[in-house]
Amino acid sequence: MKKILIINGHPNKESLNHSLCEAYKKGATAAGYEVQEIVISDLNFNPNLQYGYKKRMELEPDLLDAWQKIQWSNHIVWVHPVWWGGLPAITKGFIDRLFLPGMAFSYKENSVFWNKLLKGRSAHIITTLDQPGWYYRLFFGRPSINQLKKSVLQFCGISPVKHTYIGIVKTASEEQIENWINKAYNLGKKLK
C-alpha cells in the first residue's frame, strides 16, 4: 500500500498550491492510500543552515516530525510555486536543514561518490507557474525542477521523480483553476 507524504511549499494557505494539496489528498484518500502532510509554513524552524555542514544544528521538533514522515513515506508529492525560477525561500530552507549528510545521504570515504539513503521512494513535483510549462522548460531550463528532482531527490536515492506543471496561474479563469484542482485530485487517485 502506498504511503504518501504531501509537502506544501507555498507560504500562503490561501494559495492555489494549498487547494492542489487538498485535492491530491482527497484523491489519494479516496483510492485507499495512507496520506500524511507537511505544510512547511506551519513549521517552527530556522531555515538558515548557519554553519553549512561544518557544525550540525539541532533539529527543531517540527523538523524531527517532518523527518519521521519522510522516512514513513514511500511516495512524496512536492507542491510549490516557481518564484524567480526557483523554490520559495522557506522550501529551500526546509531542504537545507533536513536533507543532511548522515540522514538523506552519506559521503563515501576517499571518494567523489555518496550513499543514497532515501532509496525505495518515488516522488511527484507539482509546480505552479505564471508562464506555460513549455516556456519555463525551453527558455529557462526549468531550474526549480532540476534543483529539486536531480540535486535533491535523485541525489538522495528517490526515483522515479515525475513532474506536473500548472499554469499560467496569473491569468487563469475560475474554470481553469477548477480544472487544475480536479487534475490534482485525479493525480492522487490514479497514483500507480
Side-chain angles (χ1 to χ4, degrees):
M1 175 171 198
K2 285 278 189 196
K3 295 187 283 188
I4 300 170
L5 174 61
I6 301 170
I7 301 177
N8 182 346
H10 198 298
N12 183 355
K13 285 191 176 183
E14 295 178 16
S15 69
L16 172 60
N17 285 240
H18 183 73
S19 298
L20 295 172
C21 289
E22 286 300 310
Y24 193 103
K25 178 182 176 182
K26 287 178 185 173
T29 302
Y33 301 124
E34 291 181 65
V35 180
Q36 292 193 38
E37 297 174 272
I38 297 171
V39 179
I40 296 174
S41 64
D42 285 350
L43 305 181
N44 184 14
F45 73 104
N46 177 358
N48 183 20
L49 186 63
Q50 286 177 240
Y51 312 108
Y53 294 151
K54 297 285 184 198
K55 178 181 172 186
R56 182 63 63 96
M57 295 171 66
E58 289 296 319
L59 294 177
E60 294 88 345
D62 283 352
L63 289 183
L64 290 171
D65 182 61
W67 186 248
Q68 288 178 347
K69 289 177 179 179
I70 289 168
Q71 290 181 307
W72 164 86
S73 70
N74 55 31
H75 184 72
I76 304 173
V77 179
W78 292 78
V79 182
H80 69 85
V82 173
W83 290 347
W84 291 105
L87 302 166
I90 194 75
T91 303
K92 177 65 167 63
F94 175 80
I95 293 166
D96 287 349
R97 288 291 316 282
L98 206 50
F99 285 71
L100 298 168
M103 290 175 63
F105 67 97
S106 64
Y107 296 112
K108 291 185 178 183
E109 194 171 330
N110 300 318
S111 175
V112 297
F113 298 103
W114 62 97
N115 297 306
K116 300 175 179 190
L117 302 181
L118 294 178
K119 287 183 178 179
R121 292 167 182 80
S122 58
H124 193 137
I125 302 167
I126 301 172
T127 61
T128 56
L129 303 155
D130 278 336
Q131 57 191 287
W134 64 266
Y135 190 88
Y136 180 62
R137 185 184 74 250
L138 188 62
F139 289 98
F140 293 105
R142 64 183 204 169
S144 70
I145 297 291
N146 290 336
Q147 180 182 27
L148 186 53
K149 179 179 179 175
K150 295 177 182 179
S151 299
V152 178
L153 302 176
Q154 290 177 337
F155 183 91
C156 297
I158 298 173
S159 184
V161 179
K162 297 180 179 180
H163 63 273
T164 299
Y165 297 117
I166 302 289
I168 304 172
V169 173
K170 67 181 175 184
T171 58
S173 66
E174 290 298 319
E175 181 182 357
Q176 182 60 64
I177 291 170
E178 194 59 40
N179 288 340
W180 290 330
I181 291 170
N182 288 334
K183 181 176 186 171
Y185 176 87
N186 288 324
L187 286 171
K189 191 167 185 180
K190 296 177 182 174
L191 176 66
K192 304 250 190 250

